[in-house]
Amino acid sequence: MNSKPLPKSVLWQDDKLYLLDQTKLPHVEEIFCCEQIESVHEAICALRVRGAPAIGIAAAYGLVVGLTEHVSLSALRERVDYLVGARPTAVNLAWAVERVYRYAAAWAEKHDDQIPVALLCDEAKLIHSEDAASCRNIGLHGLPLITANSNWLTHCNAGALAVSELGTALAPFYTAADSGVQFHVYVDETRPLLQGARLTSFELGRAGILNTLICDNAAAHVMSLGKVDGVIVGADRIAANGDVANKIGTLGLAILCGYYDIPFYVAAPTSTIDLDTTDGKQILIEERSAHEVTTFGAAQVASLDTKVFNPAFDVTPSHLVKGIITEQGMTTAPFEQNLGLLFDVNSSTTH
Ligand code: MRU
Protein backbone atom coordinates (compact mmCIF):
# COMPACT_ATOMS: atom_id res chain seq x y z
CA MET A 1 0.00 0.00 0.00
CA ASN A 2 1.24 3.45 -0.93
CA SER A 3 0.48 5.72 2.04
CA LYS A 4 1.17 9.01 0.24
CA PRO A 5 -1.95 11.15 0.75
CA LEU A 6 -4.10 11.90 -2.27
CA PRO A 7 -3.86 15.60 -3.20
CA LYS A 8 -7.12 17.56 -2.92
CA SER A 9 -8.82 18.04 -6.29
CA VAL A 10 -9.87 21.57 -5.27
CA LEU A 11 -8.19 23.75 -2.66
CA TRP A 12 -8.87 27.36 -1.71
CA GLN A 13 -5.97 28.88 0.18
CA ASP A 14 -4.93 32.48 0.81
CA ASP A 15 -7.61 33.71 -1.59
CA LYS A 16 -6.31 31.55 -4.40
CA LEU A 17 -7.80 28.53 -6.15
CA TYR A 18 -5.54 25.50 -6.56
CA LEU A 19 -6.61 22.58 -8.76
CA LEU A 20 -5.01 19.18 -9.16
CA ASP A 21 -4.53 18.65 -12.90
CA GLN A 22 -6.36 15.35 -13.38
CA THR A 23 -5.38 15.09 -17.04
CA LYS A 24 -1.83 14.28 -15.87
CA LEU A 25 -2.75 11.59 -13.33
CA PRO A 26 -1.65 9.04 -12.33
CA HIS A 27 1.91 9.72 -13.47
CA VAL A 28 2.28 13.38 -12.58
CA GLU A 29 0.71 15.10 -9.57
CA GLU A 30 0.67 18.71 -10.65
CA ILE A 31 -1.23 21.42 -8.82
CA PHE A 32 -1.86 24.64 -10.62
CA CYS A 33 -3.14 27.94 -9.38
CA CYS A 34 -6.08 29.64 -11.12
CA GLU A 35 -5.68 33.39 -10.86
CA GLN A 36 -8.46 34.36 -13.25
CA ILE A 37 -11.91 33.04 -14.13
CA GLU A 38 -10.68 32.12 -17.64
CA SER A 39 -8.29 29.53 -16.27
CA VAL A 40 -11.09 27.99 -14.16
CA HIS A 41 -13.28 27.80 -17.29
CA GLU A 42 -10.44 26.19 -19.26
CA ALA A 43 -9.74 23.71 -16.44
CA ILE A 44 -13.39 22.60 -16.38
CA CYS A 45 -13.63 22.27 -20.19
CA ALA A 46 -10.37 20.32 -20.39
CA LEU A 47 -11.33 18.04 -17.45
CA ARG A 48 -8.33 19.17 -15.39
CA VAL A 49 -10.97 19.38 -12.69
CA ARG A 50 -13.82 16.94 -13.30
CA GLY A 51 -16.57 15.02 -11.54
CA ALA A 52 -19.89 16.75 -10.94
CA PRO A 53 -19.39 17.99 -7.34
CA ALA A 54 -15.75 19.03 -7.93
CA ILE A 55 -16.62 21.19 -10.93
CA GLY A 56 -19.41 22.80 -8.90
CA ILE A 57 -17.01 23.64 -6.07
CA ALA A 58 -14.30 24.88 -8.45
CA ALA A 59 -16.83 27.05 -10.30
CA ALA A 60 -18.16 28.55 -7.04
CA TYR A 61 -14.62 29.68 -6.22
CA GLY A 62 -14.11 30.60 -9.87
CA LEU A 63 -16.79 33.27 -9.51
CA VAL A 64 -14.61 35.22 -7.10
CA VAL A 65 -11.12 34.33 -8.25
CA GLY A 66 -9.14 37.38 -9.34
CA LEU A 67 -11.71 39.80 -7.89
CA THR A 68 -10.84 42.27 -5.17
CA GLU A 69 -13.18 43.97 -2.73
CA HIS A 70 -16.56 44.23 -4.54
CA VAL A 71 -18.47 42.97 -7.56
CA SER A 72 -21.74 44.23 -9.05
CA LEU A 73 -24.69 41.87 -9.52
CA SER A 74 -24.61 42.32 -13.31
CA ALA A 75 -20.89 41.50 -13.48
CA LEU A 76 -21.52 38.46 -11.30
CA ARG A 77 -24.34 37.34 -13.64
CA GLU A 78 -21.90 37.43 -16.57
CA ARG A 79 -19.42 35.33 -14.62
CA VAL A 80 -22.13 32.80 -13.69
CA ASP A 81 -23.26 32.41 -17.31
CA TYR A 82 -19.68 32.09 -18.53
CA LEU A 83 -18.87 29.25 -16.13
CA VAL A 84 -22.19 27.44 -16.60
CA GLY A 85 -21.34 27.22 -20.32
CA ALA A 86 -18.19 25.20 -19.61
CA ARG A 87 -19.94 21.81 -19.32
CA PRO A 88 -23.69 21.22 -19.75
CA THR A 89 -24.56 17.84 -18.21
CA ALA A 90 -23.44 17.92 -14.56
CA VAL A 91 -26.07 19.98 -12.75
CA ASN A 92 -23.76 20.64 -9.80
CA LEU A 93 -21.97 23.28 -11.86
CA ALA A 94 -25.08 25.38 -12.46
CA TRP A 95 -26.40 24.55 -8.99
CA ALA A 96 -23.28 25.87 -7.24
CA VAL A 97 -22.85 29.12 -9.18
CA GLU A 98 -26.58 29.90 -9.13
CA ARG A 99 -26.54 29.37 -5.37
CA VAL A 100 -23.73 31.92 -4.98
CA TYR A 101 -25.63 34.28 -7.31
CA ARG A 102 -28.87 33.92 -5.33
CA TYR A 103 -26.96 34.69 -2.16
CA ALA A 104 -25.47 37.79 -3.81
CA ALA A 105 -28.86 38.94 -5.14
CA ALA A 106 -30.44 38.61 -1.69
CA TRP A 107 -27.59 40.62 -0.16
CA ALA A 108 -27.80 43.30 -2.87
CA GLU A 109 -31.53 43.70 -2.30
CA LYS A 110 -30.96 44.47 1.37
CA HIS A 111 -27.76 46.51 1.08
CA ASP A 112 -26.06 47.70 -2.06
CA ASP A 113 -25.37 46.57 -5.64
CA GLN A 114 -21.64 46.36 -4.85
CA ILE A 115 -21.36 43.00 -3.14
CA PRO A 116 -18.31 42.25 -0.98
CA VAL A 117 -16.30 39.48 -2.65
CA ALA A 118 -15.44 38.03 0.78
CA LEU A 119 -19.11 37.21 1.39
CA LEU A 120 -19.35 35.29 -1.90
CA CYS A 121 -16.16 33.50 -1.06
CA ASP A 122 -17.70 32.40 2.24
CA GLU A 123 -20.67 30.95 0.35
CA ALA A 124 -18.28 29.03 -1.93
CA LYS A 125 -16.47 27.71 1.15
CA LEU A 126 -19.83 26.59 2.57
CA ILE A 127 -20.63 24.68 -0.64
CA HIS A 128 -17.22 23.05 -0.35
CA SER A 129 -17.61 22.01 3.30
CA GLU A 130 -21.18 20.82 2.78
CA ASP A 131 -19.96 18.59 -0.03
CA ALA A 132 -17.38 17.02 2.28
CA ALA A 133 -20.10 16.33 4.87
CA SER A 134 -22.36 14.86 2.15
CA CYS A 135 -19.64 12.50 1.00
CA ARG A 136 -19.01 11.29 4.55
CA ASN A 137 -22.73 10.62 4.99
CA ILE A 138 -23.02 8.85 1.63
CA GLY A 139 -20.19 6.64 2.84
CA LEU A 140 -22.07 5.83 6.04
CA HIS A 141 -25.38 5.17 4.25
CA GLY A 142 -23.69 2.94 1.69
CA LEU A 143 -21.63 1.05 4.26
CA PRO A 144 -24.20 -1.73 4.98
CA LEU A 145 -24.02 -2.76 1.31
CA ILE A 146 -20.33 -3.57 1.49
CA THR A 147 -20.49 -6.92 3.19
CA ALA A 148 -17.46 -9.08 3.95
CA ASN A 149 -15.82 -10.59 0.87
CA SER A 150 -18.23 -8.86 -1.53
CA ASN A 151 -17.18 -7.90 -5.05
CA TRP A 152 -18.18 -4.59 -6.58
CA LEU A 153 -17.87 -2.87 -9.90
CA THR A 154 -17.65 0.86 -10.57
CA HIS A 155 -17.37 3.02 -13.67
CA CYS A 156 -15.54 6.27 -14.37
CA ASN A 157 -14.32 8.09 -11.26
CA ALA A 158 -16.76 9.13 -8.57
CA GLY A 159 -14.09 9.13 -5.89
CA ALA A 160 -12.21 11.67 -3.84
CA LEU A 161 -10.79 13.20 -7.02
CA ALA A 162 -14.30 14.01 -8.24
CA VAL A 163 -15.47 15.75 -5.06
CA SER A 164 -14.12 17.36 -1.91
CA GLU A 165 -13.17 14.12 -0.16
CA LEU A 166 -14.00 10.36 -0.22
CA GLY A 167 -16.21 10.53 -3.28
CA THR A 168 -19.79 9.47 -3.90
CA ALA A 169 -19.70 5.97 -5.45
CA LEU A 170 -16.36 5.30 -3.76
CA ALA A 171 -17.37 6.72 -0.36
CA PRO A 172 -18.97 3.44 0.84
CA PHE A 173 -15.74 1.65 -0.13
CA TYR A 174 -13.55 4.07 1.83
CA THR A 175 -15.89 3.84 4.81
CA ALA A 176 -15.98 0.03 4.67
CA ALA A 177 -12.19 -0.16 4.40
CA ASP A 178 -11.92 2.11 7.44
CA SER A 179 -14.24 -0.27 9.31
CA GLY A 180 -11.99 -3.21 8.49
CA VAL A 181 -14.33 -4.89 5.94
CA GLN A 182 -12.57 -7.02 3.31
CA PHE A 183 -13.97 -6.55 -0.21
CA HIS A 184 -12.83 -6.05 -3.77
CA VAL A 185 -13.71 -3.62 -6.56
CA TYR A 186 -13.60 -4.12 -10.34
CA VAL A 187 -12.80 -0.83 -12.05
CA ASP A 188 -14.00 -0.21 -15.62
CA GLU A 189 -11.26 1.56 -17.54
CA THR A 190 -13.86 4.05 -18.93
CA ARG A 191 -13.00 4.94 -22.49
CA PRO A 192 -12.37 7.37 -24.00
CA LEU A 193 -10.61 9.36 -21.28
CA LEU A 194 -9.84 6.44 -18.98
CA GLN A 195 -11.05 7.95 -15.71
CA GLY A 196 -11.31 4.41 -14.30
CA ALA A 197 -7.82 3.35 -15.30
CA ARG A 198 -6.11 6.64 -14.55
CA LEU A 199 -8.05 7.89 -11.54
CA THR A 200 -10.17 5.24 -9.78
CA SER A 201 -7.51 2.50 -9.77
CA PHE A 202 -5.00 5.13 -8.68
CA GLU A 203 -7.01 6.45 -5.75
CA LEU A 204 -8.27 3.04 -4.56
CA GLY A 205 -4.74 1.67 -4.82
CA ARG A 206 -3.35 4.56 -2.86
CA ALA A 207 -5.91 3.87 -0.13
CA GLY A 208 -4.94 0.18 -0.08
CA ILE A 209 -8.35 -0.96 -1.39
CA LEU A 210 -8.13 -4.16 -3.40
CA ASN A 211 -9.16 -3.46 -7.00
CA THR A 212 -8.83 -4.97 -10.45
CA LEU A 213 -8.89 -2.93 -13.64
CA ILE A 214 -10.95 -4.32 -16.53
CA CYS A 215 -11.67 -3.12 -20.05
CA ASP A 216 -15.18 -1.70 -20.32
CA ASN A 217 -16.11 -4.51 -22.68
CA ALA A 218 -15.08 -7.14 -20.10
CA ALA A 219 -17.84 -6.15 -17.65
CA ALA A 220 -20.47 -8.52 -19.11
CA HIS A 221 -18.07 -11.44 -19.00
CA VAL A 222 -17.02 -10.72 -15.40
CA MET A 223 -20.68 -10.51 -14.38
CA SER A 224 -21.51 -13.74 -16.24
CA LEU A 225 -18.88 -15.49 -14.13
CA GLY A 226 -20.77 -14.46 -10.98
CA LYS A 227 -17.91 -12.24 -9.87
CA VAL A 228 -19.93 -9.06 -9.23
CA ASP A 229 -22.29 -8.68 -6.25
CA GLY A 230 -23.24 -5.08 -7.00
CA VAL A 231 -22.43 -1.97 -9.01
CA ILE A 232 -22.13 1.56 -7.60
CA VAL A 233 -21.68 4.57 -9.87
CA GLY A 234 -21.89 8.33 -9.43
CA ALA A 235 -24.17 10.73 -11.29
CA ASP A 236 -23.96 14.01 -13.14
CA ARG A 237 -27.65 14.76 -13.01
CA ILE A 238 -30.60 12.85 -11.61
CA ALA A 239 -33.99 13.81 -13.01
CA ALA A 240 -37.11 14.09 -10.86
CA ASN A 241 -38.26 10.63 -11.99
CA GLY A 242 -34.93 9.03 -10.98
CA ASP A 243 -33.38 8.76 -14.47
CA VAL A 244 -29.62 9.11 -14.05
CA ALA A 245 -27.12 10.80 -16.35
CA ASN A 246 -23.60 9.52 -15.76
CA LYS A 247 -20.44 8.74 -17.70
CA ILE A 248 -20.96 7.05 -21.06
CA GLY A 249 -21.10 3.31 -20.52
CA THR A 250 -23.17 3.48 -17.33
CA LEU A 251 -26.38 2.58 -19.17
CA GLY A 252 -24.79 -0.60 -20.56
CA LEU A 253 -23.79 -1.64 -17.05
CA ALA A 254 -27.29 -1.01 -15.69
CA ILE A 255 -28.81 -3.12 -18.48
CA LEU A 256 -26.30 -5.89 -17.73
CA CYS A 257 -27.19 -5.70 -14.03
CA GLY A 258 -30.85 -6.20 -14.97
CA TYR A 259 -29.92 -9.24 -17.08
CA TYR A 260 -27.74 -10.85 -14.40
CA ASP A 261 -29.92 -9.75 -11.48
CA ILE A 262 -27.16 -7.67 -9.90
CA PRO A 263 -28.16 -4.61 -7.82
CA PHE A 264 -27.27 -1.32 -9.51
CA TYR A 265 -26.83 1.66 -7.14
CA VAL A 266 -26.19 5.32 -7.77
CA ALA A 267 -24.46 7.48 -5.15
CA ALA A 268 -24.77 11.25 -5.33
CA PRO A 269 -25.37 14.29 -3.14
CA THR A 270 -28.78 15.93 -3.38
CA SER A 271 -27.06 18.78 -5.27
CA THR A 272 -26.97 16.34 -8.22
CA ILE A 273 -30.75 15.87 -8.16
CA ASP A 274 -32.51 18.26 -10.51
CA LEU A 275 -36.23 18.34 -9.79
CA ASP A 276 -36.66 20.86 -12.62
CA THR A 277 -35.75 18.14 -15.09
CA THR A 278 -38.71 15.80 -15.19
CA ASP A 279 -36.99 12.89 -16.93
CA GLY A 280 -33.78 11.81 -18.57
CA LYS A 281 -34.90 12.82 -22.08
CA GLN A 282 -34.57 16.44 -21.02
CA ILE A 283 -30.93 16.11 -19.98
CA LEU A 284 -28.48 17.73 -22.38
CA ILE A 285 -25.68 15.27 -23.10
CA GLU A 286 -22.29 16.83 -23.66
CA GLU A 287 -20.57 15.79 -26.89
CA ARG A 288 -16.80 16.01 -26.85
CA SER A 289 -14.09 16.15 -29.45
CA ALA A 290 -13.45 13.35 -31.95
CA HIS A 291 -9.81 13.49 -30.93
CA GLU A 292 -10.66 11.79 -27.60
CA VAL A 293 -11.90 8.72 -29.51
CA THR A 294 -9.40 8.56 -32.36
CA THR A 295 -6.53 8.56 -29.85
CA PHE A 296 -5.56 6.33 -26.95
CA GLY A 297 -3.52 8.33 -24.49
CA ALA A 298 -0.94 10.11 -26.62
CA ALA A 299 -1.18 7.65 -29.51
CA GLN A 300 -3.22 8.37 -32.64
CA VAL A 301 -5.15 5.12 -33.22
CA ALA A 302 -7.84 5.80 -35.82
CA SER A 303 -7.09 7.79 -38.94
CA LEU A 304 -7.48 11.51 -38.49
CA ASP A 305 -10.46 11.80 -40.85
CA THR A 306 -12.53 9.13 -39.03
CA LYS A 307 -16.13 10.15 -38.39
CA VAL A 308 -16.78 10.02 -34.64
CA PHE A 309 -19.73 10.32 -32.24
CA ASN A 310 -18.46 11.05 -28.73
CA PRO A 311 -21.22 11.56 -26.15
CA ALA A 312 -19.63 12.00 -22.72
CA PHE A 313 -22.64 10.74 -20.78
CA ASP A 314 -25.68 8.48 -21.11
CA VAL A 315 -28.96 8.21 -19.26
CA THR A 316 -29.98 5.17 -17.23
CA PRO A 317 -33.75 4.85 -16.81
CA SER A 318 -34.82 4.77 -13.20
CA HIS A 319 -36.41 1.32 -13.42
CA LEU A 320 -32.89 -0.13 -13.68
CA VAL A 321 -31.77 1.63 -10.48
CA LYS A 322 -32.13 -0.32 -7.25
CA GLY A 323 -31.36 2.65 -5.02
CA ILE A 324 -29.93 6.16 -4.94
CA ILE A 325 -27.62 6.78 -1.98
CA THR A 326 -27.55 10.42 -0.94
CA GLU A 327 -26.27 12.11 2.21
CA GLN A 328 -29.78 11.65 3.59
CA GLY A 329 -29.92 7.87 3.10
CA MET A 330 -30.99 5.29 0.51
CA THR A 331 -33.87 6.35 -1.75
CA THR A 332 -35.73 3.67 -3.67
CA ALA A 333 -38.66 3.58 -6.12
CA PRO A 334 -41.10 5.22 -6.61
CA PHE A 335 -38.45 7.87 -7.32
CA GLU A 336 -40.92 10.54 -8.56
CA GLN A 337 -42.35 10.58 -5.08
CA ASN A 338 -39.33 9.75 -2.93
CA LEU A 339 -36.72 12.07 -4.47
CA GLY A 340 -38.98 15.05 -3.81
CA LEU A 341 -39.05 14.16 -0.11
CA LEU A 342 -35.30 14.84 0.10
CA PHE A 343 -35.89 18.54 -0.50
CA ASP A 344 -37.43 20.81 2.02
CA VAL A 345 -38.15 24.39 1.05
CA ASN A 346 -35.64 25.86 3.48
CA SER A 347 -32.83 23.57 2.43
CA SER A 348 -29.77 24.99 0.62
CA THR A 349 -29.95 21.94 -1.66
CA THR A 350 -33.21 23.16 -3.21
CA HIS A 351 -32.76 24.14 -6.86
O1 MRU B 1 -16.44 13.63 -17.57
P1 MRU B 1 -16.23 13.47 -16.09
O2 MRU B 1 -14.96 12.76 -15.76
O3 MRU B 1 -16.42 14.76 -15.34
O4 MRU B 1 -17.43 12.49 -15.65
C1 MRU B 1 -17.57 12.20 -14.29
C2 MRU B 1 -18.66 11.25 -14.00
O5 MRU B 1 -19.39 10.82 -14.86
C3 MRU B 1 -18.89 10.93 -12.56
O6 MRU B 1 -19.39 9.63 -12.40
C4 MRU B 1 -19.90 11.92 -11.95
O7 MRU B 1 -19.56 13.23 -12.26
C5 MRU B 1 -20.00 11.78 -10.48
S1 MRU B 1 -18.55 12.36 -9.64
C6 MRU B 1 -18.84 12.16 -7.98
Side-chain angles (χ1 to χ4, degrees):
M1 170 175 164
N2 184 344
S3 57
K4 197 174 160 194
L6 193 68
K8 295 274 180 212
S9 52
V10 182
L11 181 69
W12 181 261
Q13 205 166 42
D14 301 328
D15 290 330
K16 290 203 170 70
L17 177 62
Y18 296 91
L19 300 176
L20 171 66
D21 188 345
Q22 298 191 34
T23 62
K24 303 209 165 136
L25 290 174
H27 306 298
V28 178
E29 290 174 38
E30 188 175 295
I31 309 248
F32 68 100
C33 181
C34 296
E35 312 229 16
Q36 296 298 331
I37 191 170
E38 288 78 11
S39 52
V40 181
H41 187 273
E42 189 278 336
I44 294 171
C45 292
L47 273 57
R48 298 185 200 289
V49 60
R50 33 81 36 215
I55 61 179
I57 297 163
Y61 288 126
L63 286 179
V64 296
V65 86
L67 295 179
T68 52
E69 307 288 330
H70 297 91
V71 62
S72 71
L73 204 54
S74 59
L76 188 66
R77 183 74 251 166
E78 277 178 29
R79 291 172 78 90
V80 165
D81 293 343
Y82 174 58
L83 288 176
V84 166
R87 291 194 80 188
T89 305
V91 72
N92 304 63
L93 172 55
W95 172 83
V97 291
E98 292 294 354
R99 174 169 154 180
V100 175
Y101 182 82
R102 277 200 308 278
Y103 179 83
W107 192 92
E109 204 173 294
K110 276 201 210 131
H111 303 276
D112 183 275
D113 181 55
Q114 292 299 314
I115 304 136
V117 170
L119 288 182
L120 305 185
C121 190
D122 286 347
E123 188 66 7
K125 285 181 190 160
L126 196 59
I127 289 171
H128 197 169
S129 62
E130 284 175 7
D131 183 71
S134 288
C135 291
R136 289 194 290 271
N137 285 321
I138 289 171
L140 290 172
H141 291 303
L143 176 62
L145 299 174
I146 318 298
T147 51
N149 305 315
S150 54
N151 282 285
W152 291 85
L153 188 146
T154 192
H155 190 67
C156 192
N157 174 266
L161 292 165
V163 297
S164 50
E165 59 182 66
L166 292 185
T168 57
L170 301 194
F173 300 147
Y174 283 117
T175 311
D178 265 1
S179 314
V181 181
Q182 300 290 322
F183 61 96
H184 164 261
V185 185
Y186 286 101
V187 178
D188 267 3
E189 65 175 350
T190 319
R191 273 285 283 158
L193 293 180
L194 303 173
Q195 286 93 333
R198 295 187 305 101
L199 308 176
T200 300
S201 293
F202 165 68
E203 66 164 273
L204 290 179
R206 192 161 270 195
I209 294 175
L210 200 59
N211 70 94
T212 303
L213 180 64
I214 57 171
C215 294
D216 298 327
N217 45 11
H221 179 64
V222 174
M223 288 183 185
S224 77
L225 298 175
K227 287 175 180 283
V228 179
D229 298 306
V231 169
I232 311 185
V233 297
D236 286 83
R237 188 181 297 241
I238 300 174
N241 72 341
D243 291 351
V244 175
N246 191 49
K247 178 55 55 194
I248 191 76
T250 302
L251 170 61
L253 285 178
I255 293 169
L256 285 172
C257 282
Y259 186 82
Y260 288 110
D261 200 18
I262 294 168
F264 177 88
Y265 296 100
V266 174
T270 46
S271 53
T272 303
I273 300 170
D274 179 7
L275 295 183
D276 294 335
T277 296
T278 49
D279 61 39
K281 285 193 221 62
Q282 295 184 352
I283 299 175
L284 182 60
I285 300 293
E286 176 184 6
E287 282 183 37
R288 296 186 59 87
S289 119
H291 177 78
E292 293 179 352
V293 180
T294 60
T295 55
F296 192 92
Q300 184 70 40
V301 180
S303 59
L304 287 170
D305 58 355
T306 307
K307 183 169 181 277
V308 168
F309 175 47
N310 184 19
F313 302 96
D314 57 28
V315 175
T316 298
S318 61
H319 69 89
L320 296 175
V321 178
K322 169 116 178 155
I324 298 176
I325 312 162
T326 72
E327 70 276 21
Q328 299 184 43
M330 174 77 78
T331 298
T332 53
F335 290 109
E336 294 86 347
Q337 184 183 312
N338 294 341
L339 288 176
L341 300 176
L342 301 176
F343 294 81
D344 88 55
V345 281
N346 300 316
S347 161
S348 55
T349 52
T350 307
H351 285 277

